[in-house]
Structures are given as structure tokens and as C-alpha cells.
């Protein structure tokens, strides 16, 4: 076999491969990724891989094609089947595999699918994904006679995550799996936790009939908030479509955003890791960084993207990292990957041990006024250029105005005496992401006006910032 394969250029992303099924991404692409990635793993001395898939209708077919591709290079492939992405990560550790592949469209609409990959040295992203494209385009595949086998890891996975439950008093908890691929794991793990557990949408259904499986969007948390309030729950927890992102609501039904959640976890983790580095992405509130420092930790701001944060975490030896998006990574007592069921268990544990309700843990953060993460569509071809143009103009402005500080770790994050605003290009969708935060309403208005003015100079209409502040 040496047939070259080229991909639709839009599917090779910064930290995964993703596209629209039957339009930009086909089973033949999954097979070719398997051959190319398998080739790279074999040439690096690897001999085994794990493959899992999410609950999308197209996922089993993509997984089969991936297994074919990987085994054709000589790898032994452990097929772990349907489950959350975190279970695939666990399988790679548990089975000591050299590579892992998850077929998942994450939180994207039902007609999307994608491929997340890792090796034993970390997530596959950036240049490594481009390398897969080059190997496939050259048809430069190794040939072998690998075998595939079904390996059940769900019991071992649930045993492992439940083992870290450290609560004391019993709680009532509502959980919303959003019909995503963590549903079965959620049902089985909550049966083993003390307290009362109310499950919403734990049936895995790739049409996502109840709400979109993305807990960062308030409208996707409506049913969970209602359930928490009506049942007097201590908290509510939601997962995204493939169970690597967590969302939470407090006992009053108030949303606990990703950065607030990370602040709450930080207080817990820094008790056993004093002085540790805790990493958050550029979208996070300044109050999170200040809180980590106040708690005696070392806050580190890094690029958005689960692969990028995971890599930075390994590099710095950090016990905890997280994103606004709800990707939260525990290396404290765990493996350092983003595992929403595990994060759920840790959250229930810490609320259970606290004498205060979850809302009070969140309200330890000073109150600031900030916009949610506002996402607005932009032409894919202009996405990165707009950010570069604004970055260049703001750098020029800061050279004559010392009150403007420019941070270009990821997109543009501008600090002024009013607070900060951020603009960055999404790596996974044709959208720009904006956020602003200030101590005052008038300050927030000035920050939003500065951001909108910059967008207009680049020929874009600013976002509405609808959805209210939090
Ligand atoms: Zn996800």
C-alpha cells in the first residue's frame, strides 16, 4: 500500500483533526490518518495503540477505518469502544500504549466529527498534525501486519476515578451528560458515590435531542439549573459531548464558570502543593490569577487549547491547569489529562468537605464585571489576519501610551487601567472570541468600545456582547 492521500485543507487544525462528515471529512480520511499516524508511531519505536469513539452516529465507522489504518502499519490496536475522551486517555495509561486515538466531534453539531491523537510523550498538535498531512500526501506509509482486539476498560476506569472521591457529608447532586459519550460512565460512577444523584440525559444519543452538549453556553445549562433548584441540590455538574470538559452550577442555580471553578480547585490543591504553579488560559479572569497568587501559588497564563495547556503542564510540573472552556487538568493525585467525570468527583468531594456551599466558595473571588466569552463568526480566511492587524495597532499604541500593556501569548490581551480585553481566533471554528473585564461598568464600556473600534478598523462589526455580564 503506498497510495497518497490528501485531506481537505480545513480539517488539519491546531490541536486535532475535525470536519463535517461526508463533506470535508470521510472514513477514507480516518483510514489515512491511521496509516500516517501509525507510521510515525512505528518509526518512533512504538508498537501499540488504543482507539475509542464518542456517541456520534458516524463515530463507529470512523473508528473502524482508523483501526484499519493503524493495524496496516503493524501496530497492535486495543479497541476500547464507546466512551468519553477521558476514558481513552485512561486506557493509554492503563494499557501502557504508545499511542491513543479518539474519534470525537466534541461539542460540535451532530454532522461534525474529528480525531484527537496522543503519544506517550503527550498530545499530538501543531507541527505533528501537519506532519501527518505530509506523510499521507507522500503516501509514505510503513506496512505491517498488526492485530486489533477489543479491550474493556470501563470498569477499571470507573474504579480509578471513584477511588479519589474524598467527600465527608452526603450531598445531593444533579448531573447533565447532555446525551454525550460520558453517559454510561456517569450512571455507573454515581451509583458508587455516597449521597443522592439525579441524572439528566445520560442516554448516549448522537442527535443531542435535549440540548447542545456544550456547558459553556448558558442556554445549555437551563435544565440543569432548574433541576438543582427544584430538588434542593448542593450543586449541578454538566459535561460536554465527549466528557473532557466540565460545567457547574451552584446550589442556587448560579453558573460557576470555568475560571471560577479553577480558582475553587486551586484552593484545594494548593493545600497539598504549596507554592505550586497553576496554569490557566488567556481567557481567564484576572481574579483567578490574583487568587492563585493570594493562595501562595504561582499563576501562569498560557495559550488556549487543551493540547497546549497539557504540554505546558508537563513542562512545568504543575499539579493543576484549566481553561475557561471547562477543560480542567489534575496532575494532583491523577494523570494530568482533562477528565470531566474525574473533575466532577473532585468537585463533589471538595464541596462535601466544605462547611460552606459552592456559591460561597465561588464568592471568595472579588467581584468584577466581565462579559462572558463572546464568539462571533468571521470569514475563515480573515480570522487570523484580523487578530494580527489589531495586535500590530495595539503594539504601536502601547509604544506611545504606557498605560496600555499588550500580551500576545495567544491573540491579543490588552490591559489598561480599566481592566483587560481579549481577542483571539478560535482554532476549531470560524469564529473570533472576545472577552472583557473591569472593576466598573463605565470601565467595561470603555474596554468594549476600544475592542469594537479595533474590529471596525479591520472591517468587522463588533460583537453584541449579549448574554449579560457575569
Ligand atoms: Zn470535548
Amino acid at each position: 500500500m503506498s497510495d497518497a492521500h490528501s485531506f481537505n485543507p480545513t480539517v488539519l487544525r491546531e490541536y486535532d483533526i475535525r470536519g463535517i462528515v461526508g463533506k470535508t471529512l470521510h472514513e477514507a480520511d480516518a483510514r489515512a490518518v491511521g496509516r500516517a499516524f501509525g507510521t510515525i508511531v512505528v518509526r518512533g519505536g512504538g508498537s501499540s495503540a488504543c482507539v475509542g469513539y464518542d456517541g456520534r452516529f458516524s463515530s463507529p465507522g470512523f473508528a473502524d477505518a482508523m483501526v484499519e489504518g493503524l493495524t496496516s502499519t503493524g501496530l497492535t490496536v486495543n479497541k476500547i469502544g464507546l466512551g468519553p475522551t477521558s476514558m481513552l486517555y485512561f486506557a493509554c495509561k492503563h494499557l501502557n500504549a504508545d499511542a491513543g486515538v479518539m474519534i470525537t466531534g466534541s461539542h460540535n453539531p451532530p454532522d461534525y466529527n474529528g480525531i484527537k491523537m496522543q503519544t506517550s510523550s503527550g498530545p499530538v498538535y501543531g507541527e505533528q498534525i501537519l506532519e501527518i498531512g505530509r506523510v499521507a500526501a507522500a503516501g509514505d506509509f510503513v506496512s505491517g501486519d498488526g492485530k486489533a482486539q477489543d479491550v474493556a476498560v470501563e470498569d477499571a476506569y470507573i474504579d480509578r476515578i471513584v477511588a479519589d472521591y474524598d467527600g465527608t457529608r452526603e450531598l445531593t447532586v444533579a448531573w447533565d451528560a447532555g446525551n454525550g459519550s460520558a453517559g454510561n460512565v456517569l450512571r455507573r460512577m454515581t451509583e458508587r458515590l455516597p449521597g443522592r444523584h439525579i441524572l439528566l440525559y445520560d442516554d448516549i444519543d448522537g442527535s443531542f435531542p435535549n440540548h447542545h452538549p456544550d456547558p459553556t453556553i448558558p442556554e445549555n445549562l437551563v435544565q440543569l439549573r432548574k433541576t438543582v433548584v427544584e430538588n434542593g441540590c448542593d450543586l449541578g455538574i454538566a459535561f460536554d459531548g465527549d466528557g473532557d470538559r466540565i460545567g457547574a452550577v451552584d446550589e442556587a442555580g448560579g453558573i460557576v464558570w470555568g475560571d471560577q471553578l479553577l480558582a475553587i480547585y486551586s484552593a484545594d490543591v494548593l493545600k497539598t502543593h504549596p507554592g505550586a504553579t497553576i496554569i490557566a488560559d488567556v481567557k481567564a479572569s484576572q481574579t483567578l490569577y490574583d487568587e492563585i497568587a493570594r493562595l501562595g501559588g504561582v499563576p501562569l497564563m498560557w495559550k488556549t487549547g487543551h493540547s497546549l495547556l497539557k504540554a505546558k503542564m508537563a513542562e512545568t510540573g504543575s499539579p493543576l491547569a484549566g481553561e475557561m472552556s471547562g477543560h480542567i487538568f489534575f496532575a494532583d493525585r491523577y494523570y494530568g489529562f482533562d477528565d470531566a467525570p474525574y473533575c466532577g468527583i473532585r468537585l463533589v468531594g471538595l464541596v462535601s468537605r466544605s462547611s460552606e456551599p459552592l456559591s460561597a466558595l465561588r464568592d471568595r473571588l472579588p467581584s468584577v464585571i466581565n462579559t462572558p466569552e463572546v464568539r462571533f463568526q468571521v470569514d475563515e480566511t480573515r480570522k487570523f489576519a484580523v487578530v494580527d492587524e489589531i495586535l500590530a495597532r495595539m503594539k504601536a499604541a502601547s509604544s506611545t501610551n504606557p498605560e496600555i500593556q499588550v500580551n500576545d501569548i495567544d491573540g491579543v490581551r490588552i490591559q489598561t487601567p480599566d481592566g483587560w480585553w481579549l481577542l483571539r481566533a478560535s482554532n476549531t471554528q470560524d469564529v473570533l472570541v472576545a472577552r472583557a473585564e473591569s472593576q466598573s461598568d463605565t470601565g467595561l464600556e470603555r474596554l468594549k468600545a476600544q475592542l469594537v473600534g479595533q474590529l471596525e478598523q479591520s472591517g468587522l462589526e463588533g460583537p453584541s456582547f449579549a448574554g449579560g455580564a457575569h
Side-chain angles (χ1 to χ4, degrees), residues 336-388:
F337 54 70
D338 37 349
D339 183 324
Y342 182 79
C343 291
I345 283 172
R346 292 289 294 254
L347 186 62
V348 176
L350 78 83
V351 173
S352 166
R353 282 181 282 116
S354 167
S355 57
E356 295 178 298
L358 180 55
S359 63
L361 300 180
R362 191 254 330 275
D363 292 342
R364 282 184 196 159
L365 293 171
S367 69
V368 285
I369 308 156
N370 51 30
T371 70
E373 180 185 330
V374 177
R375 303 170 74 85
F376 54 103
Q377 199 154 10
V378 60
D379 192 307
E380 185 77 37
T381 58
R382 282 281 290 150
K383 190 170 79 169
F384 292 106
V386 166
V387 175
D388 288 344

Side-chain angles (χ1 to χ4, degrees), residues 138-163:
D140 177 26
F141 305 121
V142 298
S143 230
D145 185 21
K147 298 279 179 285
Q149 58 201 19
D150 291 308
V151 180
V153 297
E154 195 176 273
D155 288 348
Y157 173 59
I158 293 169
D159 285 348
R160 175 62 188 88
I161 60 177
V162 169

Side-chain angles (χ1 to χ4, degrees), residues 202-410:
D202 53 316
D203 292 328
I204 299 173
D205 182 340
S207 69
F208 306 120
N210 292 293
H211 62 74
H212 198 60
D214 182 351
T216 54
I217 311 285
E219 66 190 49
N220 298 328
L221 294 170
V222 170
Q223 294 103 318
L224 181 65
R225 297 170 73 181
K226 187 164 172 280
T227 304
V228 165
V229 172
E230 284 178 359
N231 293 279
C233 296
D234 295 286
L235 72 159
I237 293 171
F239 300 148
D240 80 332
D242 66 324
D244 58 3
R245 292 193 293 128
I246 185 172
V249 303
D250 65 29
E251 76 290 351
I255 297 173
V256 184
W257 299 96
D259 49 359
Q260 298 172 333
L261 209 45
L262 189 59
I264 291 165
Y265 286 130
S266 295
D268 203 41
V269 168
L270 284 167
K271 283 179 201 158
T272 48
H273 298 269
T277 297
I278 294 183
I279 308 170
D281 72 332
V282 288
K283 294 182 205 168
S285 169
Q286 186 59 39
T287 61
L288 167 63
Y289 297 104
D290 294 346
E291 177 71 355
I292 293 167
R294 189 187 72 78
L295 292 163
V298 178
L300 176 61
M301 189 185 289
W302 195 238
K303 298 171 201 263
T304 291
H306 63 95
S307 306
L308 307 174
L309 273 183
K310 227 177 283 188
K312 192 68 181 173
M313 200 179 178
E315 181 194 321
T316 59
S318 160
L320 179 68
E323 282 189 355
M324 261 313 275
S325 64
H327 282 285
I328 293 183
F329 313 80
F330 276 93
D332 166 51
R333 292 155 55 189
Y334 202 55
Y335 304 100
F337 54 70
D338 37 349
D339 183 324
Y342 182 79
C343 291
I345 283 172
R346 292 289 294 254
L347 186 62
V348 176
L350 78 83
V351 173
S352 166
R353 282 181 282 116
S354 167
S355 57
E356 295 178 298
L358 180 55
S359 63
L361 300 180
R362 191 254 330 275
D363 292 342
R364 282 184 196 159
L365 293 171
S367 69
V368 285
I369 308 156
N370 51 30
T371 70
E373 180 185 330
V374 177
R375 303 170 74 85
F376 54 103
Q377 199 154 10
V378 60
D379 192 307
E380 185 77 37
T381 58
R382 282 281 290 150
K383 190 170 79 169
F384 292 106
V386 166
V387 175
D388 288 344
E389 289 164 19
I390 293 176
L391 181 60
R393 283 197 296 269
M394 293 310 297
K395 278 187 172 165
S398 76
S399 67
T400 55
N401 183 349
E403 290 198 323
I404 297 175
Q405 288 170 41
V406 181
N407 177 328
D408 61 358
I409 281 176
D410 185 6

